[in-house]
Amino acid sequence: VPVTELEAMHRALELAWNGWGRVAPNPLVGCVILQDGVSVGEGWHADYGGWHAERMALEAAGDRARGATAVVTLEPCAHTGKQPPCVEALLAAGVSRVVIGAGDPNPLASGGAARLRSAGVVVEDGVLAGEAQHQNAAFFHRHQRHDRPWTVLKLAMSLDARIADATGRSQWISGEEAREWVHWLRAGVDAIAVGGATARTDNPRLTARGSVTPRRPPRRVVFAGRGSLPTDGHLLATASEVETIVVVPPGHGDRATWEALGVHVIESGSLPQAMGVLKAAGVDALLVEGGGRLAGALLAEGLVDRCCLIQAPLFLGTAGVPAVAGWPGGPLADATPWNVVERRALGRDTLLVLDRG
Ligand SMILES: NC(=O)c1ccc[n+]([C@@H]2O[C@H](COP(=O)([O-])OP(=O)(O)OC[C@H]3O[C@@H](n4cnc5c(N)ncnc54)[C@H](OP(=O)(O)O)[C@@H]3O)[C@@H](O)[C@H]2O)c1
């Protein structure tokens, strides 16, 4: 059965995920070379600084790339960075048609489609562009705004939107597959954050301990308030091993003790300001893992770009800890629906990924 270009683009998007946790700040890219409806080469951008997806796929295709169609999730680059331009590699291989997912937002690298067209290659762009953009949301965000990180809010909750029981216990609401998925998610961000109460109650490690070993271990962030943070908790006690940042209102916190443990302290009067400081410190993609009050404050300020909600098949009741707290919200007529990016079963749990509408 011949492979259609659309099927090849789905496959290329799948291949691109192989670079998760390994290529940032570069984008995830996948590529399939099609010759008469047969896939003759596959590639992906596997490591920062390494071969681009097109090069890997062309290498696999060899001579069969001549006259073939290259299906690639992101516009091939036209500039020399750590690697020579992919556009020239496609031309040298004799590819006659290129199908592109999303355009490259990086002004330095874009222009690839135009260069291919001027060399006589037939270019079709915008194929599954939405999927390609969702896949590289952090990369697109980085090229579009510089005031704050691309921010993902992840919460594991009950059917009645509780993230812990009445005693504050949340381990474990979700099942093993969902927790494994969270470790995968962690590998692809620059920092992982929680609120002060979560740091105290859960004593989390906030490290990526799944199948993907991130190229750079994510930093850890605690949005502290007026409450104390235990110095023998995982986050502070291992601050000299895994970079740890505590954000605290001006004049609060035990700065001297924290810094002696190797913690980087940011004093900030507001969440938007703190986000700006994190961004300036190199956090392009931030994963916030709760709790409910931090989630509510971020949503109220419009600081969340993506929600990853894991719904477990159980009820915890009104005495449980709410998933979103302290945000009064507004009338239904003003509530903008979020866009569903993905709905997936993770064992007995359900993952819902949504981007801000
Ligand atoms: N199921 C899940 O996915 C999940 C995830 C995380 C947590 N949890 C559970 O949720 C519970 C904790 O959640 P929570 O809602 O009580 O608290 P939280 O959101 O973890 O922490 C709230 C605290 O964060 C600090 N903070 C700093 N800036 C803030 C801001 N702008 N807005 C709000 N808080 C800010 C304050 O610290 P101070 O208190 O120091 O002033 C505040 O009291 C625990 O029981 C935990 O087990 C579940």
Side-chain angles (χ1 to χ4, degrees):
V1 184
V3 179
T4 67
E5 291 177 356
L6 197 60
E7 286 165 341
M9 184 62 83
H10 279 293
R11 175 67 184 152
L13 285 164
E14 199 176 290
L15 293 168
W17 284 119
N18 288 329
W20 182 251
R22 308 292 313 166
V23 299
N26 282 352
L28 298 164
V29 188
C31 179
V32 172
I33 310 288
L34 277 187
Q35 180 71 271
D36 298 327
V38 176
S39 168
V40 293
E42 292 188 342
W44 59 91
H45 185 32
D47 269 299
Y48 179 77
W51 276 14
H52 288 184
E54 297 90 326
R55 273 286 295 287
M56 195 202 268
L58 288 172
E59 200 70 22
D63 289 345
R64 291 169 299 176
R66 196 149 297 279
T69 297
V71 178
V72 54
T73 56
L74 196 71
E75 181 180 4
C77 66
H79 87 309
T80 305
K82 292 208 162 27
Q83 291 289 327
C86 293
V87 160
E88 303 310 324
L90 289 163
L91 292 174
V95 163
S96 62
R97 178 175 164 82
V98 176
V99 177
I100 298 171
D104 193 331
N106 179 1
L108 264 179
S110 65
R115 166 85 183 95
L116 287 166
R117 283 194 180 103
S118 71
V121 172
V122 178
V123 177
E124 179 149 0
D125 48 24
V127 176
L128 297 180
E131 276 89 336
Q133 280 171 7
H134 287 309
Q135 179 171 61
N136 275 308
F139 176 74
F140 278 89
H141 180 102
R142 193 163 70 79
H143 285 288
Q144 279 152 7
R145 50 188 305 175
H146 309 282
D147 56 333
R148 63 174 179 82
W150 178 68
T151 302
V152 180
L153 172 65
K154 172 248 132 188
L155 293 168
M157 62 178 75
S158 63
L159 295 168
D160 47 351
R162 304 286 139 175
I163 55 170
D165 67 17
T167 70
R169 230 183 140 73
S170 66
Q171 289 154 338
W172 299 103
I173 289 179
S174 54
E176 210 164 298
E177 284 181 62
R179 301 205 304 273
E180 179 63 28
W181 182 82
V182 171
H183 280 287
W184 174 87
L185 178 66
R186 286 178 174 181
V189 297
D190 301 307
I192 306 165
V194 290
T198 298
R200 281 190 293 272
T201 314
D202 293 357
N203 188 20
R205 288 182 172 78
L206 303 184
T207 51
R209 305 185 296 278
S211 55
V212 175
T213 303
R215 185 172 75 85
R216 297 177 300 199
R219 291 184 246 181
R220 306 179 298 192
V221 181
V222 182
F223 286 93
R226 289 167 171 72
S228 64
L229 289 178
T231 50
D232 58 353
H234 290 307
L235 294 175
L236 265 51
T238 61
S240 59
E241 292 153 39
V242 185
E243 201 177 327
T244 305
I245 299 168
V246 174
V247 180
V248 71
H252 287 277
D254 190 353
R255 188 174 193 130
T257 306
W258 294 347
E259 285 181 343
L261 290 166
V263 170
H264 180 70
V265 180
I266 295 175
E267 288 195 18
S268 169
S270 75
L271 278 177
Q273 189 198 352
M275 290 301 210
V277 177
L278 290 173
K279 171 74 186 176
V283 178
D284 287 331
L286 175 70
L287 171 63
V288 180
E289 296 202 13
R293 281 179 282 161
L294 180 60
L298 290 168
L299 286 166
E301 299 266 19
L303 294 171
V304 179
D305 299 295
R306 174 168 292 180
C307 286
C308 296
L309 307 179
I310 295 165
Q311 196 175 52
L314 44 87
F315 289 95
L316 284 168
T318 50
V321 178
V324 176
W327 175 33
L332 174 59
D334 297 343
T336 313
W338 288 54
N339 299 316
V340 177
V341 174
E342 194 180 355
R343 279 192 189 98
R344 196 197 324 171
L346 293 171
R348 55 161 214 201
D349 304 319
T350 307
L351 169 69
L352 188 56
V353 180
L354 309 121
D355 279 359
R356 190 138 58 109

